[in-house]
Amino acid sequence: MSVTPHLFIPGPTNIPEAVRMAMNVPMIDMRSGEFPKLTLPIFEDLKKVFKMKDGRVFIFPSSGTGAWESAIQNTLKTGDKVLMSRFGQFSLLWVDMAERLGLKVELCDEEWGTGVPLEKYADILAKDTAHEIKAVFATHNETATGVTSDIAGVRKALDAAKHPAMLFVDSVSGVGSLDMRMGEWGVDCCVSGSQKGFMLPTGLGILAVSQKALDANKAGGGMPRCFLAWEDHIKTNDLGYFPYTPATQLIQGLRASLDLIAAEGLENIFARHHRLANGVRAAVDAWGLKLCAKEPKWHSDTVSAILAPEGIDSAQIVKTAYYRYNTSLGVGLNKVAGRVFRIGHLGALDEFMVGGVLFSVEMALKDCGVPVKFGSGTGAAAEYFNSTATKAAELPKAKAA
Ligand SMILES: Cc1ncc(COP(=O)(O)O)c(C=O)c1O
């Protein structure tokens, strides 16, 4: 029997049937008079997902990395000073990009398993009375270590120092699954991609930008750019078009995904992710294992990076789950390679699916020599889901005979 591997990597995530079918349609003409009827409402609906109070959203035919680059290229100049922190593979890669694009990075190098160091940021910003720092960067959800950082806290640090720097946030594995309040938190560039909370294939870099970021761009900010240049997109996007051939099929899928998000409601989506993540964390506890995230305040509701016990290679657990139990888990990256395996629990997901992945993990752990008791993790998750189920979902009333 051939069954597609059950996908529990932290993106690309599972694609709901409605989204898949919305893309399984004949190609459409991206220069027709009809096309803006599809695209213009999408730009507006995306603003709701990012909870923006002003600004606009760009959609690039790229992955999230393209949106990272676009944020920098369109607002900052070579040689500009920026404040960044590095505590996992994705925050590391953003630092690497900033340096390669010629920014002067003031870097907080943090232990992997922690997140954005708010006190250090506050201190550095308070001392920067000449306002040399032009942008502060924060990785909302570090997918490599399963760490969520406090973006409201970064805003507080900026405000306390009365610092005018822009705030750039990587929420590739956050937006659409975790709360992102761009307007309230004063986020100026928020980076995302299609393949995580938006439940689409990879291929769209989604970048939400504030009016302040647009003003910085208009005032001559930025560095040489072409493919990801905001000005070209603004000119065409305003009319519902793109400066080059857009990924029409993915955009059709995005329409369906935004409809699903609206139907469920953002707050319900966040609550669902929190509940499912709690189920995974209950299982991790029951197995006697630890998360890579050092403290509960860092726990991510979209991905859990789980430390393999001393002497056990986490890559072996991932391989065993894949080949023996047809289940894809995330591997450990860079510094935590061989030390952690990751369960992605974001996007289109429910208790049944979480139960399934925990079932596979439990068996793979045992195969790899971890002394887990079958039913311990799955049982703990079931206990949690069962004891909280009535609060989460009302049963339909029985019809009178
Ligand atoms: C937090 C985070 N930032 C950035 C990226 C890079 O995005 P992409 O692989 O879509 O270019 C990823 C990818 O997983 C990510 O998880």
Side-chain angles (χ1 to χ4, degrees), residues 129-330:
T129 49
H131 297 162
E132 281 180 9
I133 294 170
K134 299 301 172 209
V136 174
F137 288 60
T139 298
H140 184 201
N141 192 74
E142 175 50 80
T143 320
T145 53
V147 161
T148 299
S149 285
D150 176 7
I151 303 304
V154 181
R155 168 46 54 200
K156 266 195 209 140
L158 277 155
D159 288 351
K162 296 194 172 46
H163 203 293
M166 288 180 283
L167 174 54
F168 287 15
V169 173
D170 169 357
S171 196
V172 170
S173 57
V175 164
S177 303
L178 307 180
D179 202 4
M180 168 45 62
R181 305 182 196 174
M182 272 190 79
E184 187 183 322
W185 298 341
V187 176
D188 295 300
C189 287
C190 186
V191 175
S192 188
S194 47
Q195 76 274 23
K196 304 204 191 242
F198 288 108
M199 305 168 287
L200 286 161
T202 316
L204 298 180
I206 301 172
L207 175 64
V209 308
S210 70
Q211 190 55 48
K212 180 172 161 182
L214 289 169
D215 291 344
N217 169 265
K218 242 189 169 165
M223 45 185 79
R225 56 189 177 263
C226 177
F227 185 61
L228 302 166
W230 292 359
E231 54 277 16
D232 297 349
H233 280 260
I234 291 170
K235 250 189 263 161
T236 46
N237 285 177
D238 279 348
L239 303 170
Y241 299 100
F242 292 84
Y244 36 69
T245 317
T248 48
Q249 238 55 356
L250 289 173
I251 290 172
Q252 308 231 55
L254 181 56
R255 175 66 273 155
S257 121
L258 288 167
D259 289 343
L260 289 181
I261 289 171
E264 185 174 356
L266 279 174
E267 306 312 312
N268 293 331
I269 292 173
F270 306 148
R272 172 168 57 82
H273 279 78
H274 184 60
R275 191 171 128 79
L276 296 176
N278 275 342
V280 173
R281 291 188 282 260
V284 173
D285 271 353
W287 291 327
L289 300 182
K290 295 256 171 292
L291 292 171
C292 180
K294 301 272 175 211
E295 289 178 60
K297 70 171 180 180
W298 303 121
H299 285 174
S300 165
D301 283 344
T302 60
V303 51
S304 292
I306 301 158
L307 289 164
E310 217 39 59
I312 307 248
D313 178 6
S314 67
Q316 205 54 39
I317 297 169
V318 174
K319 213 184 262 180
T320 304
Y322 189 82
Y323 287 106
R324 284 221 161 131
Y325 305 113
N326 208 30
T327 303
S328 268
L329 305 172

